[in-house]
Amino acid sequence: MFIKIGLLIVFFSVMVVVGVLARKNATDVNGFVLGGRSVGPWLTAFAYGTSYFSAVIFVGYAGQFGWNFGVASTWIGLGNAFIGSLMPWAILGRRTRIMTQHLNSKTMPDFFGQRFESKGLKIAASAITFLFLIPYTASLFNGLSRLFRMAFNVDYAVCVIVMAVLTAIYVIVGGYMATAVNDFIQGIIMLIGIVAVILAVLSKNGGFMQSLAIMSEIESPVMKGVYTSFFGPDPFALLVVVLLTSLGTWGLPQMVGKFYAIKNERSIKIGTMISTFFAIIVAGGCYFLGGFGRLFCTPDLVKAEGFDAIVPTMLSGLGDVLIAVVLVLVLSASMSTLSSLVLTSSSTLTLDFINSIKKKDSSDKQNLFVMRIFIAVFIIISAVIAIVQAKSRVTFIAQLMGVSWGALSGSFLAPFLYGLYWKKTSKAAVATSFCFGCGLMIVQLGISMGFIHVSGPVFGLIFKNSLYSGVFSMLASLIIVPVVSWISAKTRPAGVEQMFECYNTNVTVHASDALTEEE
């Protein structure tokens, strides 16, 4: 217990100290939200990775999908690395940085407002961001409950309150730079921790090869040994999970926002490699570990306590030092994501929603004050929801995350991508994507809660759960936006040609006189 408490005290102290030291970079809105657009590749890459992977992944998804797919769940982690990390950096990174600086936009809703010359789209995007980030933030707290009960036997509400208060302190004081530096520290902890945990867990069954051999003997409704097969018992369901957890990052405001703040083009190239490596180790490691869950849990236990019990059960037999490492690992993952979410939501609500409906512009100092207030409000709301859900056992972590990811990415992914690359994207297409993404996931929420009933092979598949509907909303929006843009050409913004000039830079090169063949 001394080791566990000691490591936690050191961890929390470092987070707060970094927040205090970073306060000099948070004296204006640009510094508080974007770190002055001067954040280097290492900090940005780790900020991206740690915002991506949280307790939702480590406790909820790794347990659930490791149980369902076996060792094949490792494909989810690799999908996160290459589709969710490498490709966004390569496809979105540079153009996002250039276009957002050119438009002087600090958030994703602000980008929609400036790029499509529409205050309505800006307000709508900010409302969607704020509303659908709440369930995601609440799910971060939920991921910690079983681990803390296992290690300390303390009430879950205490864990939530402590984590919420400490995260609020360093984000409110230090802004984006404090978040980025702490994300880097937390990312190092995550890299070391996941490797140590995997080695320790597999050693319980004689190492990797022996664990794999035992897994191959487990029976399933499909066939013997399917949990060690290349694509697992249900390849299509595995593909759905890979797409939701990987392609979804392309439309999440807290993820794309990292590209706004990066220093220069060279930093993007370096950050791409670092971010991909980080995702391979952390995401690949989490899902690989979860794939061996059937060696530690029985079907009766999972049926009684749910998928969220799998990973804590796997870790329960570790030594005190490793338990402490796991706690710090999961806290690092959760606090880094939480800080990114609250900073995104508060800046969006202040700069994009409130300032857009006010008649008089607020000063930089007033905006900073309001953002700090909303950070506290957002954390309190999410913490209260998390505690209520934990006490009443409302839903699973994966369901909470699926609804928010599906709504946000289904609404934003296609408009943002086309907005960066295609001049003919129209305002009507963006509005249609917003309505479609949110509407589809609201229907899914109603179905999950039993208020709405659907039938038939097509609707039955789309609304099978929030994972399927989330993927459908993202893929459908990639078709909806160009089709509606073609139909509604009159709603294209007038100044689009000038906007895209930011990608074209004229370079004057001095040429020395030289003889040619004619001469």
Side-chain angles (χ1 to χ4, degrees):
M1 186 63 70
F2 175 77
I3 295 172
K4 297 171 190 173
I5 294 175
L7 276 177
L8 288 179
I9 291 174
V10 171
F11 173 76
F12 288 137
S13 299
V14 170
M15 299 301 105
V16 173
V17 168
V18 167
V20 173
L21 294 177
R23 69 186 186 279
K24 63 182 179 182
N25 297 299
T27 55
D28 58 23
V29 170
N30 190 50
F32 189 83
V33 177
L34 298 176
R37 294 187 190 266
S38 61
V39 183
W42 283 87
L43 292 185
T44 303
F46 272 73
Y48 185 94
T50 54
S51 298
Y52 194 167
F53 310 116
S54 65
V56 174
I57 300 290
F58 189 76
V59 178
Y61 270 19
Q64 178 177 350
F65 300 126
W67 182 269
N68 291 339
F69 305 122
V71 179
S73 63
T74 307
W75 284 111
I76 304 171
L78 295 178
N80 293 171
F82 294 104
I83 302 174
S85 296
L86 175 64
M87 290 178 66
W89 275 81
I91 295 172
L92 301 179
R94 177 179 179 273
R95 294 181 82 92
T96 298
R97 176 65 174 82
I98 294 172
M99 178 70 86
T100 56
Q101 183 174 22
H102 179 69
L103 298 177
N104 193 30
S105 61
K106 299 178 178 65
T107 63
M108 183 179 275
D110 192 23
F111 169 82
F112 289 128
Q114 299 284 352
R115 166 66 178 82
F116 298 103
E117 299 175 350
S118 171
K119 182 183 286 189
L121 289 178
K122 179 178 178 180
I123 294 173
S126 63
I128 293 169
T129 300
F130 185 77
L131 291 174
F132 284 100
L133 281 183
I134 290 177
Y136 185 22
T137 309
S139 69
L140 299 181
F141 293 112
N142 278 332
L144 296 170
S145 59
R146 293 182 185 273
L147 289 176
F148 269 85
R149 287 173 190 164
M150 175 187 73
F152 296 107
N153 196 28
V154 296
D155 187 73
Y156 171 52
V158 175
C159 307
V160 170
I161 293 170
V162 170
M163 177 180 163
V165 169
L166 291 170
T167 304
I169 290 173
Y170 79 74
V171 177
I172 289 172
V173 173
Y176 183 83
M177 189 59 74
T179 300
V181 174
N182 276 332
D183 285 351
F184 180 77
I185 297 170
Q186 291 160 350
I188 297 294
I189 294 170
M190 290 167 67
L191 286 173
I192 297 172
I194 193 63
V195 173
V197 169
I198 290 173
L199 294 175
V201 170
L202 292 182
S203 67
K204 289 184 177 182
N205 290 286
F208 170 62
M209 294 306 296
Q210 185 62 29
S211 298
L212 206 60
I214 300 172
M215 282 285 293
S216 67
E217 295 298 320
I218 297 176
E219 298 281 353
S220 82
V222 181
M223 58 180 279
K224 184 178 180 180
V226 74
Y227 295 114
T228 57
S229 63
F230 201 65
F231 291 122
D234 192 346
F236 181 73
L238 178 63
L239 176 63
V240 169
V241 177
V242 170
L243 289 175
L244 179 74
T245 60
S246 303
L247 191 61
T249 61
W250 295 44
L252 296 178
Q254 74 273 17
M255 303 296 294
V256 175
K258 301 297 184 290
F259 300 136
Y260 287 44
I262 199 164
K263 192 173 183 179
N264 51 39
E265 192 160 343
R266 179 176 175 273
S267 296
I268 292 174
K269 294 177 181 178
I270 298 171
T272 302
M273 294 184 288
I274 298 169
S275 181
T276 304
F277 172 78
F278 182 89
I280 290 173
I281 301 299
V282 174
C286 284
Y287 287 109
F288 174 76
L289 177 67
F292 292 92
R294 288 180 179 269
L295 298 181
F296 299 86
C297 300
T298 64
D300 291 337
L301 174 66
V302 174
K303 186 176 181 180
E305 299 192 29
F307 293 116
D308 300 343
I310 295 174
V311 171
T313 302
M314 295 175 69
L315 304 176
S316 59
L318 301 179
D320 288 337
V321 174
L322 271 176
I323 290 290
V325 169
V326 169
L327 288 173
V328 175
L329 184 160
V330 178
L331 268 175
S332 298
S334 298
M335 290 181 69
S336 57
T337 307
L338 177 63
S339 62
S340 178
L341 291 173
V342 298
L343 189 59
T344 300
S345 60
S346 65
S347 58
T348 292
L349 198 62
T350 303
L351 301 176
D352 304 324
F353 189 83
I354 294 177
N355 282 359
S356 295
I357 61 178
K358 286 174 61 178
K359 294 182 179 179
K360 184 179 179 182
D361 291 338
S362 300
S363 66
D364 218 42
K365 188 175 181 180
Q366 289 173 326
N367 284 332
L368 271 177
F369 177 76
V370 174
M371 273 191 284
R372 288 181 163 122
I373 294 296
F374 277 124
I375 286 174
V377 170
F378 190 81
I379 288 180
I380 291 171
I381 292 172
S382 302
V384 169
I385 292 174
I387 292 171
V388 170
Q389 287 172 340
K391 301 293 184 182
S392 59
R393 298 180 181 178
V394 174
T395 187
F396 291 112
I397 292 175
Q399 290 174 325
L400 283 171
M401 184 177 177
V403 170
S404 60
W405 273 46
L408 289 165
S409 294
S411 299
F412 297 152
L413 188 156
F416 190 79
L417 177 63
Y418 285 115
L420 290 176
Y421 278 90
W422 194 37
K423 297 178 183 179
K424 296 181 179 180
T425 310
S426 70
K427 288 184 276 188
V430 177
T432 303
S433 181
F434 287 2
C435 294
F436 179 80
C438 292
L440 193 76
M441 296 314 296
I442 290 172
V443 170
Q444 177 64 67
L445 195 60
I447 293 170
S448 301
M449 298 177 69
F451 299 140
I452 302 173
H453 299 279
V454 296
S455 59
V458 176
F459 289 113
L461 180 63
I462 293 173
F463 294 106
K464 184 176 181 179
N465 56 45
S466 59
L467 303 176
Y468 285 77
S469 54
V471 170
F472 179 77
S473 70
M474 287 186 283
L475 296 179
S477 68
L478 292 171
I479 300 172
I480 289 171
V481 169
V483 170
V484 176
S485 294
W486 178 69
I487 297 172
S488 59
K490 292 182 179 180
T491 64
R492 294 171 189 165
V496 68
E497 292 293 338
Q498 190 275 331
M499 295 177 197
F500 274 72
E501 282 299 314
C502 64
Y503 295 134
N504 303 317
T505 304
N506 294 321
V507 179
T508 303
V509 179
H510 176 71
S512 301
D513 290 336
L515 293 176
T516 64
E517 290 183 2
E518 287 80 2
E519 296 173 321

